[in-house]
Amino acid sequence: YPDGIAVSTFAEHQIPSPSPGREGKYVATSQVLLPSQSVLQGSELICKVQHSKGNSDVRVPPPVVLDLPPNVTLFMPPRDGFSGTSKRTSRLICQATDFSPREISVSWFREGKRLVSGFITEDVEASMSNPGTFSVNSMLTITESDWFSQTVYTCQVEHRGMVIEKNVSSQCNPSPSPGIEAFAIPPSFSDIFLNKSAKLTCLVTGLVTYDSLRISWTRQGEKAVDSQIIDSTILPNGTFSATCVASVCVEDWESGDRFTCTVTHLDLPSPLKRSIFKPTEVHKHMPSVYVLPPAREQLSLRESASITCLVKGFSPPDVFVQWLKKGEQEPLSPDNYVTSAPVPEPNSPGYYFVHSVLTVSEKDWSAGATYTCVVGHEALPHLVTERTVDKSTGKPTLYNVSLVMSDTASTCY
């Protein structure tokens, strides 16, 4: 029996009375609510557990913002920025900011040919102005003669399968437009699994007008891919954004081929190109799934019941969670549950966890309704697994997978 248990996080928190677990043991859960600013500033919490059988401290690192693409800027040297005796030199600076996670690579090209020396890429650093994100600088040394002969240099940044290229020469500005930018967004695992197609999205922002806007997708830089503009939105600053989507075969996406979004507009001196591909060498680890029934204290209020699905230890971080109710054909509406974004495991670098909380009526739970947490991840043997729980069992059980797929799933030949 858990006599005298106490939990402290050095912050306001709530801890219900311990509830019975397995084999005569008990479970207690403490929750703490933090203002978003504290999380973004990287505040670390310490969960201190005190019990007559022993004490324990667990450090809980703050969650990090995941899958943020980098903003890439290329800085040119001024006209008088070259120095030296024999060969006058200066530097091009390629800066990538506000990205997460921190893994990133920067490459340089001269007239389309990759450079293997002559540049220095600094260590990736945490951003001070945007907590939870990172930045990196890479400096390429160039000669005055090459620069003013209008040699074209390219900075290529690769981040989580996204490729961003910035070209610059002495005859052009590295920023091709006062505000137009393009972002290539890869497909999610849930879209691939449920719809049997890979949806590539190209988001264009900073448009003053839609006139002359053209967006297209190509595969490996040559073969055109069918696409359509599906969304146009006016932004608070008076500019517009446009979204162009291309649906390709799952096999084509998973082959590792490069898909490129090309944007043309009268306000652009040259086309904007953004490329993405699925990395082929990615560490994969299947998740462990646990379903926790509602706490007795919550059920005693006779209002609602919260069922928690904990998904741990998976990699890569792309995962989806759905809930089913026995006797219903369709999955439950996302309005009935909240699923967190993937967060790195505190003591397991490279692994992630999420939790999903389904809220149902206390009446349905007490009447014996059965609920199932369905988890999809590319490392699972059948790409999906599930755990089911109801009042009578009080613990999760395994059932056969039965998901409703899209009726419009693509067929590839």
Side-chain angles (χ1 to χ4, degrees):
Y1 187 81
D3 8 308
I5 189 169
V7 179
S8 174
T9 56
F10 296 130
E12 290 189 10
H13 66 285
Q14 297 178 346
I15 174 169
S17 301
S19 57
R22 297 179 179 179
E23 300 176 356
K25 298 180 179 179
Y26 289 78
V27 176
T29 302
S30 175
Q31 296 180 338
V32 60
L33 297 178
L34 296 176
S36 58
Q37 190 62 30
S38 298
V39 176
L40 293 177
Q41 288 177 350
S43 303
E44 183 184 68
L45 292 179
I46 301 177
C47 179
K48 300 177 71 68
V49 180
Q50 297 177 338
H51 188 262
S52 59
K53 299 299 184 180
N55 303 329
S56 178
D57 291 359
V58 178
R59 294 183 178 273
V60 183
V64 298
V65 180
L66 298 176
D67 294 330
L68 293 178
N71 295 320
V72 180
T73 307
L74 197 52
F75 297 95
M76 298 186 301
R79 177 64 183 85
D80 57 352
F82 292 84
S83 61
T85 52
S86 56
K87 283 189 176 182
R88 291 166 55 84
T89 62
S90 187
R91 295 190 304 178
L92 293 174
I93 301 177
C94 185
Q95 184 181 72
T97 61
D98 300 330
F99 59 90
S100 179
R102 68 182 301 143
E103 290 76 19
I104 197 169
S105 67
V106 181
S107 304
W108 287 94
F109 295 80
R110 180 178 183 273
E111 294 293 342
K113 296 182 179 179
R114 183 184 294 269
L115 299 175
V116 296
S117 62
F119 61 90
I120 298 175
T121 301
E122 298 176 344
D123 293 336
V124 177
E125 296 182 350
S127 173
M128 299 300 294
S129 60
N130 191 4
T133 66
F134 302 89
S135 63
V136 66
N137 293 323
S138 183
M139 287 77 69
L140 173 68
T141 300
I142 59 174
T143 64
E144 187 176 39
S145 58
D146 283 345
W147 178 247
F148 289 106
S149 65
Q150 299 181 355
T151 299
V152 177
Y153 294 92
T154 302
C155 173
Q156 183 187 85
V157 177
E158 296 188 29
H159 182 260
R160 295 197 61 77
M162 178 182 295
V163 180
I164 301 174
E165 294 183 346
K166 294 282 186 177
N167 299 322
V168 67
S169 72
S170 60
Q171 65 176 355
C172 67
N173 190 303
S175 299
S177 158
I180 298 179
E181 186 56 281
F183 304 90
I185 304 171
S188 66
F189 173 77
S190 61
D191 186 63
I192 291 176
F193 180 77
L194 296 177
N195 298 322
K196 300 303 179 185
S197 67
K199 184 172 70 175
L200 314 179
T201 303
C202 187
L203 173 63
V204 183
T205 61
L207 297 164
V208 178
T209 174
Y210 289 124
D211 295 342
S212 75
L213 174 66
R214 298 290 183 273
I215 310 175
S216 62
W217 280 95
T218 55
R219 179 183 179 187
Q220 295 292 85
E222 298 177 357
K223 185 178 179 181
V225 178
D226 290 339
S227 60
Q228 60 177 339
I229 297 179
I230 63 169
D231 183 43
S232 299
T233 307
I234 184 169
L235 304 177
N237 62 1
T239 63
F240 298 88
S241 68
T243 302
C244 180
V245 173
S247 292
V248 302
C249 297
V250 176
E251 294 81 359
D252 293 343
W253 169 249
E254 293 184 344
S255 69
D257 284 357
R258 186 178 300 244
F259 292 85
T260 301
C261 169
T262 301
V263 180
T264 60
H265 193 276
L266 285 178
D267 291 340
L268 291 168
S270 60
L272 276 178
K273 294 187 176 183
R274 298 290 182 264
S275 297
I276 52 175
F277 63 92
K278 181 176 181 180
T280 55
E281 297 182 1
V282 177
H283 171 65
K284 296 182 180 180
H285 193 273
M286 60 184 245
S288 299
V289 182
Y290 309 93
V291 176
L292 309 178
R296 289 184 302 171
E297 292 75 15
Q298 182 188 27
L299 295 175
S300 66
L301 299 176
R302 298 189 177 279
E303 295 177 353
S304 61
S306 298
I307 307 169
T308 303
C309 185
L310 179 61
V311 186
K312 290 178 57 66
F314 58 89
S315 181
D318 194 4
V319 68
F320 80 85
V321 179
Q322 285 187 341
W323 287 90
L324 305 176
K325 182 179 180 181
K326 187 176 181 180
E328 296 187 4
Q329 295 293 326
E330 298 287 338
L332 293 176
S333 168
D335 294 337
N336 297 318
Y337 58 90
V338 177
T339 302
S340 68
V343 177
E345 292 273 10
N347 300 314
S348 302
Y351 296 92
Y352 299 83
F353 74 91
V354 302
H355 65 274
S356 182
V357 179
L358 171 68
T359 300
V360 301
S361 70
E362 183 274 335
K363 180 179 179 181
D364 285 351
W365 173 260
S366 298
T370 300
Y371 298 93
T372 301
C373 175
V374 180
V375 177
H377 190 268
E378 61 181 290
L380 288 166
H382 300 289
L383 301 181
V384 67
T385 188
E386 61 179 33
R387 298 293 184 273
T388 296
V389 68
D390 59 29
K391 177 186 176 182
S392 62
T393 61
K395 60 182 180 180
T397 55
L398 284 172
Y399 281 80
N400 291 330
V401 173
S402 177
L403 281 181
V404 178
M405 306 298 179
S406 170
D407 292 332
T408 59
S410 299
T411 302
C412 298
Y413 298 95

